[in-house]
Amino acid sequence: MSVQEILVINGPNLNLLGQRQPEIYGYDTLASIEEKCAVLAKELGVSVRFGQSNHEGAIIDMIHEARTKSGAIVINAGAYTHTSIAIHDALKTFEGYIIELHISNPHAREEFRHTSWISSVADAVMAGAGAYGYELATRLAAEKIKAAS
Ligand code: CA2
């Protein structure tokens, strides 16, 4: 088991990053974010793997796989953050470090974004730092998995 791996999970619509709504989500694409995190992870002596799905069940499968392969999960569950008890339950089965991540600050947006089913099962919650949040989360996850190994 490579507990030195950080799994970064991105949920619905995040495959469109950099293509729509740049005033909210910025101009970075998911591929460019992944590249920056991979460089950073290498510097920090860990590895990072990105997964994206628009489907709740596929996200749950990624979390299950991380149970034996990853020491930390960074999850931007997109709109499933606000609705998915199934993702909440799956994250509860993961024994490593969990970071809930949002590009925007959901608390400064519509009321329906103020509830998260992820926060209560996350070790850390990061929001509003834009795409740079992925690098911040990679740094924090790397610290935590190295400290635990
Ligand atoms: O701020 C975040 O990262 C969110 O998780 C993004 C979700 C939203 O439902 C959450 O409330 C906050 C939406 C992701 C949509 O991604 C898009 C990316 C580019 C263009 C359109 C949507």
Side-chain angles (χ1 to χ4, degrees):
M1 168 159 72
S2 171
V3 290
Q4 299 296 91
E5 177 184 276
I6 301 163
L7 175 64
V8 182
I9 300 175
N10 285 284
N13 298 309
L14 288 160
N15 54 312
L16 298 179
L17 270 184
Q19 297 175 37
R20 301 287 302 275
Q21 295 184 263
E23 68 287 0
I24 301 176
Y25 300 115
Y27 289 95
D28 287 286
T29 63
L30 208 48
S32 72
I33 293 169
E34 179 173 356
E35 206 176 303
K36 285 181 209 168
C37 290
V39 170
L40 178 60
K42 199 172 172 190
E43 272 173 35
L44 299 172
V46 297
S47 67
V48 69
R49 190 160 58 90
F50 270 59
Q52 189 278 328
S53 179
N54 296 321
H55 306 279
E56 192 174 21
I59 292 168
I60 290 162
D61 290 341
M62 286 183 219
I63 295 168
H64 290 175
E65 198 186 339
R67 282 162 45 77
T68 54
K69 287 194 174 161
S70 312
I73 291 176
V74 176
I75 181 162
N76 183 349
Y80 284 142
T81 302
H82 317 299
T83 62
S84 181
I85 299 171
I87 292 176
H88 166 104
D89 285 346
L91 286 169
K92 254 188 165 169
T93 73
F94 180 72
E95 290 176 0
Y97 197 78
I98 299 174
I99 303 172
E100 174 184 0
L101 175 71
H102 299 286
I103 298 167
S104 66
N105 174 3
H107 296 284
R109 300 181 64 189
E110 303 95 323
E111 202 168 336
F112 63 82
R113 298 186 200 276
H114 298 181
T115 300
S116 168
W117 283 99
I118 312 290
S119 299
S120 62
V121 287
D123 296 290
V125 180
M126 301 174 66
Y132 186 55
Y134 286 86
E135 288 171 78
L136 295 173
T138 298
R139 205 172 267 284
L140 174 60
E143 285 296 320
K144 293 296 177 182
I145 60 180
K146 284 196 286 184
S149 67

